[in-house]
Amino acid sequence: MIAVKAEGIYKYYKSQGGKKEVLKNVSINIEEGEIFGILGPNGAGKTTLISILSTLSIPDSGKVEVFGIDALKDPNNVKCIVNISSGNPNFPWSLTVYENLKYFALLYGLENMEGSINNVIGMLELEKFRNTRFDSLSTGTKQRLSLAKSLLNDPHLLFLDEPTVGLDPDMAIKIRKLIKKIHDEKGITIVLTTHYMKEAEQLCERIAFIKNGEIIANAAPGELKRQMKLGEKIIIDYEGRFEITSLNDIPKILDIKYETGRVVIIAENIESILNTVLKKFCDVHINNIEISQPDLEDVFLQLAH
């Protein structure tokens, strides 16, 4: 089933020069049960798109369906089955963890309010902070509270907007594990925005890249790498005289970068041509060989510029 179907989304904001186009003809389908990433540089339109898909904002034109419900005509029914967690959570500062969760449970009109609160407190390991005021919590604990709030209504669709922004590496790893655990145990469809490419690569099954308000790529991380023809790299440091042109007749090589004493070869499948490449270096002394796979950061850099 399609969890989210967006077609032809446009969004404008007023500016001094008239109006600014923030989203341009954005169309995406998000499958039920997947973790879908939305990536792009600052100002690309990621948060605006999340706001529209979660019914917090209305597009100037286009269609949005969430689990078959028209999100523009019937936003209240959509709100019952979605929730959102921001990387910069802002809760009533004088309320405790429990009081904040009770406040939102009341807003959501939950029937089994105490049960829902206790469930998310246990899931996010917040019991020892139950009676701690929001303004006394660490950044990481605030993030966990934000996640707990977003799970109160047992949503079918969860939006996570920069869930690990500003966290130290250890806490970011814990939050990612929590997200993965929540997804695996509950089967929730998750839409994630992040600036951390390793986070996206670890969590997301598919990724859409937004640039200047337009989706310029949409595929699984591995497929994106293949589409960009980034290839694998073999870096060879050597001593002696080497003719770079001797590599030109080797198939599957996508690019060769050369400087004195070093050659960087980018190929579709390094393993299949490694022996052939090394034979070309038989008359020189090899100091070091390094083989590396392309990562999502390479894709991001290529798409963002």
Side-chain angles (χ1 to χ4, degrees), residues 93-107:
W93 62 270
S94 61
L95 298 186
T96 65
V97 165
Y98 171 78
E99 289 167 342
N100 268 298
L101 291 173
K102 185 173 182 179
Y103 168 75
F104 281 99
L106 287 166
L107 287 179

Side-chain angles (χ1 to χ4, degrees), residues 212-231:
N212 298 326
E214 297 180 276
I215 291 182
I216 58 173
N218 183 355
E223 179 59 28
L224 284 171
K225 294 172 191 176
R226 287 190 289 273
Q227 288 177 7
M228 300 301 295
K229 296 183 178 179
L230 293 173

Side-chain angles (χ1 to χ4, degrees), residues 106-255:
L106 287 166
L107 287 179
Y108 299 153
L110 301 183
E111 293 182 5
N112 183 18
M113 190 166 57
E114 289 298 320
S116 298
I117 293 170
N118 290 330
N119 181 48
V120 297
I121 283 178
M123 189 185 305
L124 277 300
E125 300 178 5
L126 289 167
E127 186 59 51
K128 69 178 181 179
F129 303 104
R130 187 184 189 94
N131 297 314
T132 304
R133 287 184 5 164
F134 179 75
D135 60 351
S136 298
L137 299 176
S138 68
T139 302
T141 307
K142 288 177 180 177
Q143 300 283 60
R144 280 191 282 156
L145 174 58
S146 182
L147 273 173
K149 182 276 297 181
S150 70
L151 294 169
L152 273 171
N153 64 329
D154 199 19
H156 301 337
L157 175 61
L158 180 60
F159 294 93
L160 301 178
D161 192 12
E162 302 282 357
T164 60
V165 65
L167 297 182
D168 63 61
D170 286 346
M171 183 52 66
I173 289 170
K174 289 180 181 178
I175 293 292
R176 287 180 201 124
K177 286 181 178 178
L178 277 171
I179 293 168
K180 189 72 168 64
K181 181 182 177 183
I182 290 165
H183 173 261
D184 292 346
E185 290 182 355
K186 290 182 167 288
I188 299 175
T189 306
I190 295 176
V191 180
L192 169 80
T193 72
T194 180
H195 278 106
Y196 304 124
M197 296 303 104
K198 287 185 179 180
E199 179 168 283
E201 196 151 20
Q202 288 170 9
L203 293 175
C204 299
E205 295 154 70
R206 286 194 301 137
I207 290 166
F209 275 86
I210 295 186
K211 182 179 179 182
N212 298 326
E214 297 180 276
I215 291 182
I216 58 173
N218 183 355
E223 179 59 28
L224 284 171
K225 294 172 191 176
R226 287 190 289 273
Q227 288 177 7
M228 300 301 295
K229 296 183 178 179
L230 293 173
E232 302 168 333
K233 289 181 184 177
I234 178 170
I235 303 170
I236 302 174
D237 294 312
Y238 65 92
E239 293 177 6
R241 182 177 176 82
F242 178 72
E243 291 294 333
I244 190 69
T245 54
S246 66
L247 298 171
N248 291 345
D249 61 346
I250 301 177
K252 296 185 179 180
I253 289 181
L254 301 173
D255 193 17

Side-chain angles (χ1 to χ4, degrees), residues 219-289:
E223 179 59 28
L224 284 171
K225 294 172 191 176
R226 287 190 289 273
Q227 288 177 7
M228 300 301 295
K229 296 183 178 179
L230 293 173
E232 302 168 333
K233 289 181 184 177
I234 178 170
I235 303 170
I236 302 174
D237 294 312
Y238 65 92
E239 293 177 6
R241 182 177 176 82
F242 178 72
E243 291 294 333
I244 190 69
T245 54
S246 66
L247 298 171
N248 291 345
D249 61 346
I250 301 177
K252 296 185 179 180
I253 289 181
L254 301 173
D255 193 17
I256 300 170
K257 298 176 182 178
Y258 173 77
E259 58 186 73
T260 303
R262 167 171 284 203
V263 173
V264 178
I265 299 166
I266 301 172
E268 291 178 12
N269 186 340
I270 286 292
E271 187 177 346
S272 67
I273 63 170
L274 184 57
N275 287 336
T276 304
V277 169
L278 293 179
K279 286 177 183 178
K280 302 291 186 178
F281 288 82
C282 62
D283 294 329
V284 300
H285 177 74
I286 295 177
N287 294 321
N288 186 58
I289 298 175

Side-chain angles (χ1 to χ4, degrees), residues 55-72:
T55 74
L56 294 178
S57 181
I58 300 172
D60 289 289
S61 62
K63 298 179 181 179
V64 179
E65 287 185 3
V66 177
F67 289 100
I69 303 169
D70 189 320
L72 304 183

